[in-house]
Amino acid sequence: MPLYYIALNGSEFKDLSFNTDQIVISENQVVDLSDYVNLDNAMLEGFQWTTNSKSVQIKNGQIFGASRGVATAFGSSPNYKTQLKIKVKVLGSQDAGYVHYDAPKPEKLSIDSYVVDFMFDDDAEPSHILNEGSIKYDLSDVIKLYPGERIKLNVSVEPWYAAVDFTSPDSEYFLEWAIRGGAVDIDMDNVLTAIDPGVEQIFVYLANEDDRTDVKDSFRVEVLNGYVTSGTVFTSYKGVEELVALSEDLNLKYIGSYAFSLFQYYVGVDEKGENEIKQKAYGNPFIKEIILPEKLEVIQNNAFEKLTSLEAINIPSTVKEMFQGAFKDDSSLKKVTIGEDSQLVKILLESFRNCSSLEEINLKNVTTIGSYAFANCTSLKEVDLTSSRYFGKHVFEGCTSLENVILSDKTVIGDYMFANTKLSTLTLGQDYIGKNAFENCKSLTSVTFTNPNVVIDANAFKGCSNLTSVTFADGSHVSIGANAFQGTAITSINLPNGTFELGDSVFANSYASKLVLSEDTEVLAKNGAPLSGANRLTSIEITGTSSLYSVNNGIL
């Protein structure tokens, strides 16, 4: 048959030609392509070959007759930007011209590369990452792994056409591994798992049902210590233990950022809509309990984030600060032990956010709590904030089981601080209640303000649909923001002696039907219409004789 060749656009034309219309070989025969085309083997090795039949295999400039049949071989090379095509016929024993060749036998065994099955993190270059996101390395030196990491070893034989399918039960050969120590384990799928720190020289033999052959290879593995430190900083844990105990002998003062995080690769999409390999962090899924050493002083940001199996941790009394996201998304964390003599004074942004199993925590000595620090801790029932002075926003928002809060008069109640909680009664001595501070607290029935000078900001009790009683101190100077009591169940608005500055729609959509003023009550409109939306309000009363107001036929 004629030779087909195609010169692609923009490429330099190369005068390539076969010296035959068809290549004819016998089963198990190997020939060099250079015998049939005007390129030497070195050049041919740059070509990538495919065939339309398993009867023919081509690699490294060689053709192998795998079984009787006819195939068309296609070759292309980025160096020449040219495509080749040739027909190859493989003769069987029944064909004229057939010559018998023995089936090729492996002469050399090589563990030349591996693909990452599981790693805690990695500094892989883009060239190491395959299309599906897995990572492939050439094995040219000692393999260094941490306990629990896994790699799949790639086993090859030479010559290439003597390839063995080690996964087939009908294969003549199988691999026999020789491991002298206990640092690693290798399973039937050639997946190596690091077990304990140590150095291991591993041998692999080509074996058959009779015995080992002389065909073998070896390599070294070093399993590293999974407790990684840098000076007084614990930088990372790389292991699969359920109980992680950091030794006092490490002399640690800091738990580093993302110290217990892992990383995985995946195929994502870039800004142009094209696939690219991306990396994302997640927490170690194996750890259930962590014991931290005394003398520890700081837990840095996201140190224990997303440890979804972590159930308990003891915070040493020496820890003073806990930074952003320290235990964020630890959904199984039930118990955090903080001693009475704890020096912990700062718990910052999102430190325990979404710890949905957390039931109790000692905050008696903590003075500063950042925004969202305990947001969505849906099992948390009680907190003592008597020492706390400085708060961010949304600190306990979404703590749907929180029913008891111990406050001091100096506790600052910030924006959304207790929104969507289970609090039922409140006695508040603070001088400021933040925006939306108790919004949608559906279990809240009564609030008593003991401080005569208090600012209640906008929406502070909005949506507290079972709130029926609000009590202010006599002689108060109270400022109430817009919609502060919107949607409550208050039936009577009682404003004692004092000055009340009311924002817009303070009692909108509430059940208030009556406004009761004392004889020395002064009501001022801050902005808008304070009683706008209070559609159930039908009467106004004044107790005693007021020099400021009078009521005539229900009209103030």
Side-chain angles (χ1 to χ4, degrees), residues 2 42 90 168 194 199 211 271 317 321 372 397 446 462:
V90 181
S168 172
V199 177
D211 201 357
E271 296 178 354
S317 60
E321 293 182 280
Y372 296 98
E397 182 180 7
S446 70
K462 180 181 178 180

Side-chain angles (χ1 to χ4, degrees), residues 352-356 358 374-380 397-400:
F352 291 91
R353 187 175 189 176
N354 300 328
C355 291
S356 55
L358 182 62
F374 294 91
N376 300 323
C377 291
T378 53
S379 298
L380 188 63
E397 182 180 7
C399 294
T400 53

Side-chain angles (χ1 to χ4, degrees), residues 28-59:
N28 296 322
Q29 184 180 0
V30 181
V31 296
D32 291 333
L33 268 172
S34 59
D35 293 340
Y36 302 93
V37 68
N38 63 336
L39 287 176
D40 59 26
N41 277 336
M43 293 181 178
L44 283 170
E45 286 181 3
F47 274 77
Q48 299 296 318
W49 292 90
T50 59
T51 65
N52 62 0
S53 170
K54 292 182 179 180
S55 63
V56 173
Q57 298 174 12
I58 304 179
K59 186 178 180 181

Side-chain angles (χ1 to χ4, degrees), residues 197-216:
V199 177
E200 192 81 65
Q201 183 77 29
I202 300 172
F203 290 85
V204 58
Y205 296 87
L206 193 67
N208 54 36
E209 61 181 5
D210 297 324
D211 201 357
R212 291 178 179 174
T213 70
D214 293 331
V215 180
K216 65 181 180 179

Side-chain angles (χ1 to χ4, degrees), residues 235-303:
T235 57
S236 62
Y237 169 74
K238 304 176 190 302
V240 294
E241 299 164 297
E242 291 187 355
L243 172 61
V244 176
L246 303 185
S247 171
E248 304 283 349
D249 296 337
L250 295 174
N251 296 315
L252 299 173
K253 290 187 177 181
Y254 303 87
I255 301 295
S257 300
Y258 295 96
F260 289 81
S261 286
L262 317 180
F263 297 89
Q264 71 180 133
Y265 293 92
Y266 65 101
V267 180
V269 179
D270 63 16
E271 296 178 354
K272 297 180 180 179
E274 298 177 355
N275 287 349
E276 68 174 353
I277 302 300
K278 294 186 175 183
Q279 182 191 62
K280 66 179 178 180
Y282 63 103
N284 187 307
F286 308 104
I287 304 170
K288 291 187 176 181
E289 183 176 358
I290 297 173
I291 300 175
L292 300 177
E294 291 295 331
K295 299 181 181 178
L296 192 68
E297 296 181 3
V298 177
I299 296 174
Q300 294 181 337
N301 59 287
N302 309 91

Side-chain angles (χ1 to χ4, degrees), residues 114-130 133-138 143-146 149-151 224 236-238 258 261-266 277-282:
Y114 62 87
V115 174
V116 172
D117 188 54
F118 170 77
M119 274 193 176
F120 294 112
D121 57 16
D122 202 275
D123 56 356
E125 299 294 333
S127 58
H128 294 153
I129 303 174
L130 308 180
S134 60
I135 309 166
K136 182 178 181 180
Y137 291 102
D138 293 333
I143 303 174
K144 295 184 178 182
L145 301 172
Y146 288 101
E149 292 185 328
R150 300 185 302 271
I151 58 174
L224 306 170
S236 62
Y237 169 74
K238 304 176 190 302
Y258 295 96
S261 286
L262 317 180
F263 297 89
Q264 71 180 133
Y265 293 92
Y266 65 101
I277 302 300
K278 294 186 175 183
Q279 182 191 62
K280 66 179 178 180
Y282 63 103

